[in-house]
Amino acid sequence: MFLDSNQALDNGAHLEADVCIVGAGAAGITLALELQSSGLSVLLLESGGFTMDDNTQQLYSGDGGAGVADIGLTTCRARVLGGSTHWWAGWCRMLDPDVFEVRDWMPYSGWPIDRAALMPFYQRAHQTLQLGVPEYDVHALSEALGRTLLTLDETLAAHLVYQYSTPMVRFGHHFRSDLESSEAIDVLLFANLTEIVLTEQGDAVSRLECATLMGRTFSVSADRIVLAMGGVETPRILLASNRQEPDGIGNAFGHVGRFFMEHPHYYSGSVLVVDEARDTALYEQTMAARMSSPVEGAPAREVHVRAALGLSADQRRRAQLMGLAATLKPFNPANPAGRAEQLAAETVGQLLSAGMSQANQRYLALDLRCEQRPHPDSRITLTDDRDALGVPRVRLRWLVTDEDRDSVARTLKRLAAALGVGMSARLWMPLDEADLYHPVNTQGGCHHMGTARMSALPEDGVVDSHGKVHGIANLYLAGSAVFPTGGFANPTTTIVALAHRLADHLKEKTP
Amino acid sequence: MNVLTNRRQFLALTLSSMGAVWLGTGCSDDTTTRLERDPDFTPSEPINAFEASLPPTALGLTALLQGWFAGTDRELINTIGERYLTERSMSQEDAVDQLRGLILKVDDFVQLESALEVWDLDLVTDFAMLQMVSVGGWQLSQTETLLCVLSAEMAASS
């Protein structure tokens, strides 16, 4: 059932539920729907309504440009039912196994769970996201599609696969009727969390203070509270709730708001496809393949996929490199480096493409999505400025380090080598280090991760392996804020998988 | 066309569309090299001072380069070689040191194809071993780049 906080609640009202989830995005809605059959009453608080409105959206406003690029605090998130899936692009991929591992060469790496522990929940996430079978075998897909791949030395580099949520699951629209008809779930719209209040002992949440932009205030108590507010708002409210703990909730070891990670997205480098028999369409666009189900007797399903170039987990382990996926794109004015006509006119480009007709000269830009190291100084802090509800606004300083850049350059060289052995394409890298490492078009992917990291020990992070805040008995976090490392894959698949896992955990904890 | 010829021509594709061809045999409508068509072709050019600074070869550097770059625009090849040297501020002496190793691998071959196959394999091995050089940002194998340098130096000395 949906309720409008401005109309359904008296000022000063106090609500109670078994579970209160704050934030109706991918994590919050997945969790709520999973819990509805558990016998628990679920209260789902959403800041927005069914459609976007500017006043609500401005609650996000802050300084997002204190680091390498402006994160776009009000433009890449959505305070609306469904959260930021309101305008996501549907890219899905599980995190690779190495992302979960302690990488000796990468400080602060390692999750307290491994990929195998998450696999059953990734399977469920594929259902939630309408992905069909979890098919990531590029050769099987290429065969099913009747498309060739660029030949490369697969000891040096690899083809990677993304699946696309199709039809794209925008959670607010897709699950609206499920939420509306649920007897166990009350969705409270226009409900903004303004403060988390702890018990006197400080070891549990006593209540949530909430407000609407129309001036209503109310509070919520619940046996278990889950913050599913995203990688910026989650640390913001933890830091801002400093009535009892001056440094904020869950911040005894100073990790809240730190280790902010994104997936740096930028164009860097190009390929010239010299084997005219090789097809690049699968790297350039989404394609639908009909794949048999891994479940015997189950009907075949269509999967929507796209290939990318990168390294496999094993290759990255051996070379001590971070993840990167390079899709291919025709050049466009937004790409300042290595335009096709420049490359074609350049001496080496002329030689490499000699003998090919102009129509067959395929110069394609490498569109990169990169992993970055967790760094404690890449962080969210609070400012003295406050939003319309009195909550301090954030300043976000996103760092990209020399190690991050070096990993990109070394990965591109391996790609060049793999394509060179395979004789299918040649790779060009920008000469200017500023272009190679830090192109002017660097931007994030609206993937805000790491600011309330998961850890086995309280001194190493904010939440435990299930998402419970260390030292707080009834407070859980869901979403990409808890990722200790972010890999290169878009986070939604993992966000949803972790939400399924947390739902099972909360059900088990039910008396 | 065999695989090794393919690898070589990965860089040095036969130019059907370009006017200037090294061998001066005009346009070719396929990727068959002049040497493949005429295996007895043995150029006899005088050894110049630059060539004399390198190890002697049974086949002669001119023939080896013609075999490798068959049909490819000489100006382009030389420009790439010069560019490589310029980008690294490399003297001719330094270049000779690098070229010596390249030539020693093929110095006693009397069959051209056998000699070229050695460089073919080196080209692939370079990539496999990540032994690449950047020329104008293009990631090229060390072997193919040094062959461009050799061509440029031969032209400059002639």
Side-chain angles (χ1 to χ4, degrees):
Chain A
M1 173 170 54
F2 287 106
L3 298 165
D4 181 335
S5 305
N6 292 305
Q7 296 173 3
L9 302 179
D10 293 329
N11 206 27
H14 182 74
L15 308 175
E16 293 186 353
D18 293 325
V19 178
C20 177
I21 302 165
V22 185
I29 288 178
T30 300
L31 190 55
L33 292 172
E34 280 291 303
L35 291 174
Q36 67 176 329
S37 58
S38 64
L40 297 166
S41 62
V42 178
L43 180 61
L44 178 55
L45 306 184
E46 170 51 46
S47 173
F50 296 123
T51 57
M52 299 278 294
D53 82 87
D54 192 51
N55 288 337
T56 301
Q57 194 68 6
Q58 284 307 315
L59 293 170
Y60 277 143
S61 182
D63 176 8
V68 65
D70 195 330
I71 287 296
L73 291 173
T74 58
T75 54
C76 76
R77 301 177 291 164
R79 281 190 181 239
V80 67
L81 185 72
S84 298
T85 63
H86 184 70
W87 44 37
W88 77 315
W91 294 58
C92 293
R93 183 179 163 88
M94 300 181 286
L95 292 177
D96 286 1
D98 60 320
V99 176
F100 296 83
E101 298 164 2
V102 174
R103 288 172 266 184
D104 294 338
W105 47 274
M106 184 195 285
Y108 308 107
S109 61
W111 291 48
I113 54 173
D114 60 15
R115 222 278 286 265
L118 208 50
M119 276 310 292
F121 306 101
Y122 270 133
Q123 300 273 355
R124 283 157 63 179
H126 277 69
Q127 299 301 312
T128 304
L129 295 167
Q130 301 280 300
L131 293 173
V133 295
E135 181 59 74
Y136 293 90
D137 178 344
V138 74
H139 295 291
L141 289 164
S142 133
E143 189 175 330
L145 287 162
R147 295 284 185 172
T148 58
L149 297 165
L150 293 175
T151 312
L152 51 79
D153 179 344
E154 295 197 25
T155 65
L156 287 172
H159 301 282
L160 309 170
V161 174
Y162 286 95
Q163 283 203 37
Y164 279 71
S165 174
T166 309
M168 199 177 298
V169 176
R170 300 200 184 283
F171 278 64
H173 174 75
H174 191 84
F175 295 111
R176 180 170 167 174
S177 60
D178 293 331
L179 293 168
E180 189 146 35
S181 62
S182 174
E183 292 184 2
I185 304 169
D186 285 332
V187 184
L188 208 47
L189 301 173
F190 308 110
N192 299 286
L193 172 60
T194 56
E195 186 184 2
I196 304 164
V197 181
L198 299 179
T199 58
E200 278 188 25
Q201 294 76 17
D203 58 358
V205 174
S206 165
R207 66 181 188 278
L208 304 178
E209 294 288 353
C210 303
T212 74
L213 282 171
M214 303 279 283
R216 293 282 161 90
T217 58
F218 60 95
S219 59
V220 176
S221 295
D223 292 339
R224 285 175 285 278
I225 291 153
V226 183
L227 306 183
M229 303 163 68
V232 176
E233 296 306 298
T234 296
R236 179 184 178 192
I237 197 66
L238 290 173
L239 291 170
S241 300
N242 57 3
R243 184 188 302 211
Q244 292 127 303
E245 298 289 342
D247 294 329
I249 292 172
N251 201 23
F253 293 93
H255 294 303
V256 174
R258 292 187 183 271
F259 302 101
F260 175 85
M261 293 173 292
E262 250 283 9
H263 292 133
H265 283 49
Y266 53 89
Y267 293 102
S268 185
S270 313
V271 292
L272 166 64
V273 180
V274 293
D275 183 345
E276 295 178 35
R278 294 287 134 187
D279 193 355
T280 52
L282 191 49
Y283 306 92
E284 297 180 59
Q285 58 193 265
T286 314
M287 294 189 162
R290 197 149 189 86
M291 305 299 293
S292 58
S293 169
V295 180
E296 197 173 339
R301 288 210 50 183
E302 202 166 70
V303 295
H304 295 255
V305 293
R306 181 172 182 175
L309 299 168
L311 306 187
S312 69
D314 279 343
Q315 290 160 352
R316 291 193 298 266
R317 285 187 190 105
R318 285 198 297 272
Q320 300 191 345
L321 289 169
M322 287 179 276
L324 173 157
T327 53
L328 302 181
K329 279 199 174 173
F331 288 91
N332 65 58
N335 175 15
R339 295 180 204 286
E341 61 271 20
Q342 292 169 0
L343 295 174
E346 201 268 344
T347 314
V348 186
Q350 282 182 51
L351 186 66
L352 291 171
S353 61
M356 299 164 74
S357 71
Q358 269 204 324
N360 285 331
Q361 291 180 16
R362 280 175 293 165
Y363 290 91
L364 296 156
L366 292 167
D367 189 5
L368 308 182
R369 292 158 183 77
C370 312
E371 180 178 18
Q372 62 171 152
R373 293 178 182 223
H375 193 293
D377 293 338
S378 184
R379 66 183 297 199
I380 289 162
T381 51
L382 300 182
T383 68
D384 293 333
D385 191 20
R386 291 174 184 267
D387 69 15
L389 297 172
V391 180
R393 297 189 187 278
V394 298
R395 174 175 295 116
L396 174 48
R397 182 170 181 243
W398 173 30
L399 296 185
V400 176
T401 65
D402 288 344
E403 289 88 352
D404 298 335
R405 297 167 193 140
D406 178 61
S407 181
V408 172
R410 289 171 58 208
T411 302
L412 289 182
K413 288 206 181 251
R414 293 179 79 88
L415 277 179
L419 293 167
V421 174
M423 295 185 298
S424 56
R426 293 298 193 117
L427 192 141
W428 175 86
M429 291 167 67
L431 286 171
D432 185 344
E433 286 205 348
D435 283 340
L436 173 61
Y437 298 135
H438 232 320
V440 292
N441 59 357
T442 295
Q443 56 184 343
C446 300
H447 306 157
H448 306 153
M449 303 172 286
T451 49
R453 60 201 332 254
M454 187 185 278
S455 66
L457 301 172
E459 52 265 42
D460 295 331
V462 179
V463 299
D464 69 12
S465 62
H466 289 288
K468 189 184 80 64
V469 175
H470 291 298
I472 309 290
N474 60 346
L475 181 61
Y476 292 81
L477 307 184
S480 53
V482 306
F483 292 11
T485 51
F488 66 87
N490 299 47
T492 302
T493 317
T494 304
I495 290 170
V496 173
L498 285 173
H500 280 288
R501 184 168 180 269
L502 177 55
D504 281 10
H505 176 72
L506 294 177
K507 287 179 201 171
E508 285 170 12
K509 300 276 282 183
T510 301
Chain B
M1 184 185 305
N2 65 38
V3 171
L4 292 175
T5 304
N6 231 340
R7 282 176 183 150
R8 188 180 320 145
Q9 291 173 344
F10 182 33
L11 174 69
L13 292 168
T14 298
L15 302 186
S16 57
S17 57
M18 304 190 71
V21 290
W22 191 359
L23 293 175
T25 54
C27 295
S28 166
D29 59 0
D30 59 28
T31 54
T32 307
T33 68
R34 173 167 174 181
L35 285 162
E36 284 172 328
R37 290 197 301 269
D38 184 5
D40 295 328
F41 174 75
T42 49
S44 56
E45 290 183 13
I47 294 178
N48 62 32
F50 171 74
E51 193 169 354
S53 68
L54 293 168
T57 54
L59 288 161
L61 294 181
T62 304
L64 285 163
L65 286 173
Q66 283 174 340
W68 178 272
F69 287 118
T72 309
D73 186 309
R74 184 176 186 176
E75 266 187 48
L76 284 178
I77 293 161
N78 295 345
T79 304
I80 291 166
E82 289 160 9
R83 187 164 176 175
Y84 172 78
L85 297 175
T86 306
E87 284 181 6
R88 284 156 185 76
S89 305
M90 194 179 285
S91 66
Q92 192 184 63
E93 290 74 27
D94 291 339
V96 165
D97 282 346
Q98 291 204 20
L99 294 171
R100 190 167 284 128
L102 183 80
I103 291 160
L104 283 172
K105 291 181 178 176
V106 298
D107 60 352
D108 60 352
F109 280 95
V110 292
Q111 294 296 318
L112 184 67
E113 272 307 309
S114 303
L116 298 182
E117 281 177 13
V118 171
W119 283 343
D120 286 336
L121 287 171
D122 277 359
L123 184 155
V124 177
T125 305
D126 284 346
F127 281 120
M129 302 299 290
L130 303 175
Q131 289 168 349
M132 297 172 297
V133 296
S134 169
V135 181
W138 288 101
Q139 303 301 304
L140 304 179
S141 89
Q142 195 168 321
T143 298
E144 65 189 349
T145 309
L146 286 177
L147 285 163
C148 293
V149 172
L150 180 59
S151 173
E153 293 293 320
M154 292 280 284
S157 305
S158 63

